[in-house]
Amino acid sequence: MVTRDEVAKHAGVSVAVVSYVINNKPVVKEATRQKVLQAIRELGYSPNLTARSLKTRRTNQIGVLFNHIGNPFETGIALGLEHRARKDGQSLIFQTYDPLEEDHLKTLFSGRVDAIILLGQSLKTDTVDHFAKIGVPLFSVMTPDQPNDIVPCADINWYEAYRAMIEHLIRFGHTRIGFMGALNRESYLNVRFRHFRRALLAQGLEFRDEWLVHGSFGSLEMAYKQMSERLSGGTDLPFTAIVCANDLMAIGVLSACRDNGVSVPGQLSIASSENILMSSHTSPPLTTVHYPRPEIGVATIEEVMNHLNTGAPLSSRTLKHEIYERSSTGQAPG
Amino acid sequence: MVTRDEVAKHAGVSVAVVSYVINNKPVVKEATRQKVLQAIRELGYSPNLTARSLKTRRTNQIGVLFNHIGNPFETGIALGLEHRARKDGQSLIFQTYDPLEEDHLKTLFSGRVDAIILLGQSLKTDTVDHFAKIGVPLFSVMTPDQPNDIVPCADINWYEAYRAMIEHLIRFGHTRIGFMGALNRESYLNVRFRHFRRALLAQGLEFRDEWLVHGSFGSLEMAYKQMSERLSGGTDLPFTAIVCANDLMAIGVLSACRDNGVSVPGQLSIASSENILMSSHTSPPLTTVHYPRPEIGVATIEEVMNHLNTGAPLSSRTLKHEIYERSSTGQAPG
DNA sequence: TTGTAAGCGTTATCAG
DNA sequence: CTGATAACGCTTACAA
């Protein structure tokens, strides 16, 4: 590898001058500056970022904790993160979060990242404290199931979103509305369920435990299976509409309906959450809560960079959602 | 941040001993080892990876160049990459590749990564040479459109895959088979098109230029638009079956058919490539070439790690594909 | 078995 | 304006 020393020698200047040129210090005489740039070009030199990081105590790397890279919702957020991070010259290190190996994070990221972005994971207090202590800020996209006061979040107002969605369903005459959530412990989807339930009750509707269907957040298959079981029993569904905590599950539910001869929205209205690209290409297309994925990714990086650069405290942000009414919801049967 | 020096002081040993303990050198007396471990625990110390990298000249980071993180095909590969990389203690740095900023890669990764994994991008010779010179190996998942002899690849045998797919269509009586490829210059999808065309000719069928429909690899919308235009013209399609270079485009084509009243596979058979999760949940489900995404990701990391650890030369690998016959293909009309 | 010290490639502080 | 030189936190001969 070609180092700064070689460049200095080649240009006939000291190593310091090379640094000045690279870092655009305006102190260098134009002539020497050109000499150095010339040498850099000739040697194909670029500064070793690891060495620079060690010295400057800035890695320009941000850790991002995925739950499941295969989930298009999460990658939609990643798109915004990456786009904005690139502008700021930050690289993202993607890691799949495994609760069983949470302690591993401490060593994994040690001295490697300037900040860590969570995707709704509920970290142990111990872990949170550790990063606070070594000065690595945490910020979460999506409110974790077990929120922590020193981990601010960017999210939408799920309560308002579901309130609007429920109103939409009520206009179609639905009064018994089910929900498909996640079985996973401490999933950020639990937050959505709690808001849904609260919004439902606030509208004077009831919610029975047996109206909660268990899906699994990364997997459409699980949703398909669960719904198929309910449908193949021969007995009628206890609800006329179901709201799914994410689109992947809604697509599974839709498949289950199709395979079991249940018409959507004729016999069952399906509403969903997130609005991933695919949700407008199912048949019928899904009515869903639009989650501003790229925007929230961008906002997250901006918030984090602002903190890193100015020391301003990180603070939570609420972004705007929307209800996309498509044809998977309709008049309640009967 | 707590450093190794503090640990040494706290444990009453020299800094070297701390290193020995951390790196499991078997030379340390058990008693001192315990003293050190105790100090590490008490101080909540973990070694600074940046400093370690600088010294060992190993970053344990691998750069991964995406085309579009939103493409589920690419994230499916990432899943395999990440899973295997984690086992080897490697972190992945994901970057979206932008041909306009290709030169930027040199500085971006300088001293930061041990290797770079491409997802079918055709890098400039200049760039390839640069990384060869500084000793950062390149490996590509998917054969680039402009392959380079010093960038080995992992891929399936597309020629064989399409040969089998075409046979499948011929059995249904199709003789005029279109293809939807990518407009993007130098996309890895061009490779697929060339193999398709060759396979078609090899079976004694013809291929006319107007049977090539232009999609765009990251986007289902473009495919939808292109196909809609062809369909809304009122004239019949010149082919009875179409093979799409990826599932995302096939889903767009399917949507276009649905919205234009074209029955699939009654009036048009749709075959596809990749077998992303969603391709089995469209209606009808898509007949497609199964691309072993996680496996190819795993194989890639193994190949790269083997090279990094033993110095063995990187070599290209061909993985097994499969044809998944589902209901989007059927008897040719007429 | 443990300690000392050189050096990885930078940046940044001081003199000159 | 430019040149020495001391860190940054770690690994690893080599010495003790």
Side-chain angles (χ1 to χ4, degrees):
Chain A
M1 194 207 301
V2 30
T3 76
R4 187 213 40 180
D5 285 41
E6 303 176 41
V7 174
K9 199 164 297 168
H10 194 83
V13 298
S14 83
V15 291
V17 176
V18 179
S19 264
Y20 297 150
V21 171
I22 289 167
N23 298 311
N24 288 312
K25 305 278 183 213
V27 293
V28 190
K29 193 169 37 163
E30 184 58 22
T32 34
R33 212 178 82 86
Q34 288 306 333
K35 253 196 320 191
V36 172
L37 288 176
Q38 176 70 10
I40 288 178
R41 240 175 288 120
E42 284 178 21
L43 269 49
Y45 165 78
S46 37
N48 182 311
L49 299 177
T50 297
R52 172 179 291 173
S53 293
L54 181 58
K55 182 63 189 172
T56 61
R57 341 219 67 225
R58 264 280 218 146
T59 62
N60 296 312
Q61 300 195 126
I62 297 177
V64 177
L65 253 38
F66 269 81
N67 299 294
H68 181 47
I69 309 191
N71 185 338
F73 175 64
E74 301 195 9
T75 54
I77 290 167
L79 215 54
L81 292 173
E82 210 265 351
H83 176 75
R84 192 62 180 78
R86 158 187 300 258
K87 279 200 197 166
D88 286 313
Q90 306 297 304
S91 291
L92 300 182
I93 300 186
F94 289 1
Q95 287 283 336
T96 299
Y97 170 72
D98 177 355
L100 298 177
E101 296 187 11
E102 187 174 319
D103 286 330
H104 190 53
L105 290 178
K106 301 182 197 166
T107 70
L108 184 69
F109 282 144
S110 176
R112 268 270 146 93
V113 297
D114 298 331
I116 296 175
I117 292 172
L118 309 176
L119 261 49
Q121 294 92 357
S122 303
L123 296 189
K124 295 187 299 189
T125 320
D126 171 47
T127 312
V128 173
D129 290 348
H130 176 262
F131 286 118
K133 181 180 152 206
I134 65 172
V136 173
L138 303 179
F139 190 90
S140 180
V141 179
M142 297 181 291
T143 317
D145 187 32
Q146 317 278 331
N148 185 304
D149 16 306
I150 50 175
V151 182
C153 332
D155 207 342
I156 65 171
N157 186 329
W158 283 104
Y159 177 76
E160 285 301 329
Y162 284 138
R163 204 174 56 79
M165 184 61 90
I166 290 164
E167 274 173 9
H168 165 78
L169 291 171
I170 287 177
R171 278 197 293 279
F172 276 133
H174 297 276
T175 54
R176 288 167 295 133
I177 305 174
F179 191 86
M180 176 173 270
L183 243 173
N184 314 55
R185 292 185 334 113
E186 307 188 351
S187 160
Y188 58 80
L189 295 187
N190 294 341
V191 174
R192 301 185 188 175
F193 174 57
R194 287 200 297 270
H195 283 300
F196 167 80
R197 198 173 198 288
R198 199 155 60 84
L200 199 67
L201 300 181
Q203 316 251 337
L205 295 182
E206 67 168 332
F207 186 80
R208 301 206 190 144
D209 289 346
E210 63 266 32
W211 298 356
L212 177 61
V213 188
H214 291 289
S216 165
F217 83 116
S219 138
L220 175 168
E221 306 299 347
M222 175 77 172
Y224 177 86
K225 198 164 140 277
Q226 290 292 322
M227 197 62 188
S228 290
E229 272 173 25
R230 291 242 181 178
L231 292 173
S232 62
T235 61
D236 281 352
L237 282 174
F239 41 75
T240 61
I242 186 169
V243 174
C244 298
N246 73 21
D247 290 323
L248 233 34
M249 297 196 288
I251 292 171
V253 169
L254 201 55
S255 282
C257 287
R258 188 189 60 215
D259 292 355
N260 286 276
V262 172
S263 83
V264 176
Q267 295 169 267
L268 179 70
S269 279
I270 301 178
S272 178
S273 317
E274 295 185 356
N275 190 33
I276 60 174
L277 177 59
M278 206 54 58
S279 67
S280 59
H281 286 272
T282 51
S283 46
L286 291 167
T287 292
T288 191
V289 174
H290 174 75
Y291 195 97
R293 297 187 296 286
E295 292 83 354
I296 221 160
V298 167
T300 296
I301 295 290
E302 284 174 352
E303 189 68 27
V304 169
M305 290 311 295
N306 181 47
H307 169 72
L308 251 25
N309 293 332
T310 73
L314 283 170
S315 60
S316 292
R317 305 184 47 162
T318 302
L319 277 86
K320 270 228 273 296
H321 64 269
E322 248 176 289
I323 305 293
Y324 280 40
E325 301 185 5
R326 293 196 276 241
S327 41
S328 67
T329 50
Q331 205 60 42
Chain B
M1 194 206 302
V2 29
T3 75
R4 187 213 41 179
D5 286 40
E6 303 176 40
V7 174
K9 199 165 296 168
H10 194 84
V13 297
S14 83
V15 292
V17 175
V18 178
S19 266
Y20 297 149
V21 171
I22 288 167
N23 298 311
N24 288 312
K25 305 276 183 214
V27 294
V28 190
K29 195 171 33 167
E30 185 57 23
T32 33
R33 212 177 83 88
Q34 289 305 334
K35 253 195 320 191
V36 172
L37 289 176
Q38 175 69 11
I40 289 177
R41 240 176 288 121
E42 284 178 21
L43 270 49
Y45 166 78
S46 36
N48 182 312
L49 300 178
T50 297
R52 173 180 288 173
S53 291
L54 182 58
K55 182 64 189 176
T56 60
R57 339 222 65 226
R58 264 278 217 147
T59 62
N60 297 311
Q61 300 195 127
I62 297 177
V64 177
L65 253 40
F66 270 81
N67 299 294
H68 182 47
I69 309 193
N71 184 338
F73 175 64
E74 301 195 10
T75 54
I77 290 167
L79 214 55
L81 291 173
E82 210 264 350
H83 176 75
R84 192 62 181 79
R86 158 187 300 259
K87 279 200 195 167
D88 286 313
Q90 306 297 304
S91 291
L92 300 182
I93 302 186
F94 289 0
Q95 288 283 337
T96 298
Y97 170 73
D98 176 356
L100 298 177
E101 295 187 11
E102 187 174 318
D103 286 330
H104 191 53
L105 290 178
K106 301 182 197 167
T107 69
L108 183 69
F109 281 145
S110 176
R112 267 268 143 94
V113 296
D114 298 331
I116 297 176
I117 292 171
L118 308 176
L119 261 50
Q121 293 92 356
S122 301
L123 296 188
K124 295 187 299 187
T125 320
D126 170 47
T127 312
V128 172
D129 289 348
H130 175 262
F131 286 117
K133 181 181 152 207
I134 66 173
V136 173
L138 303 178
F139 190 91
S140 180
V141 179
M142 298 180 290
T143 317
D145 187 32
Q146 316 278 330
N148 184 304
D149 16 308
I150 52 176
V151 182
C153 331
D155 207 342
I156 64 170
N157 185 329
W158 284 104
Y159 178 74
E160 286 302 328
Y162 284 139
R163 203 174 57 78
M165 184 60 90
I166 290 164
E167 275 174 8
H168 164 78
L169 291 171
I170 288 177
R171 278 198 293 279
F172 275 132
H174 298 276
T175 53
R176 288 167 297 133
I177 305 174
F179 191 87
M180 175 173 270
L183 243 174
N184 315 55
R185 291 183 340 110
E186 307 187 352
S187 160
Y188 58 81
L189 295 187
N190 294 341
V191 174
R192 301 186 188 175
F193 174 57
R194 287 201 296 271
H195 283 300
F196 167 79
R197 199 174 197 288
R198 200 156 60 83
L200 199 67
L201 301 182
Q203 315 251 338
L205 296 181
E206 66 168 334
F207 186 82
R208 300 200 192 150
D209 289 345
E210 62 267 31
W211 297 357
L212 178 61
V213 188
H214 292 288
S216 165
F217 84 117
S219 136
L220 178 166
E221 306 298 347
M222 175 77 172
Y224 176 87
K225 198 165 143 275
Q226 289 293 321
M227 198 62 189
S228 289
E229 273 173 24
R230 291 243 181 176
L231 292 173
S232 62
T235 61
D236 282 351
L237 282 174
F239 40 74
T240 60
I242 185 168
V243 173
C244 298
N246 73 21
D247 289 323
L248 233 35
M249 297 197 286
I251 292 170
V253 169
L254 201 54
S255 282
C257 286
R258 187 190 60 216
D259 292 355
N260 286 276
V262 172
S263 83
V264 176
Q267 295 169 267
L268 180 69
S269 280
I270 301 178
S272 179
S273 318
E274 294 185 356
N275 191 33
I276 61 174
L277 178 59
M278 207 51 60
S279 66
S280 59
H281 286 272
T282 51
S283 47
L286 291 167
T287 292
T288 192
V289 174
H290 174 74
Y291 195 95
R293 296 188 297 287
E295 292 83 353
I296 221 160
V298 167
T300 296
I301 296 290
E302 284 174 352
E303 188 69 25
V304 168
M305 291 312 293
N306 180 48
H307 169 71
L308 251 26
N309 293 331
T310 73
L314 283 169
S315 61
S316 292
R317 306 186 46 163
T318 303
L319 277 85
K320 271 227 273 296
H321 64 268
E322 247 175 292
I323 304 294
Y324 280 41
E325 301 184 8
R326 293 196 276 243
S327 41
S328 67
T329 50
Q331 205 60 42

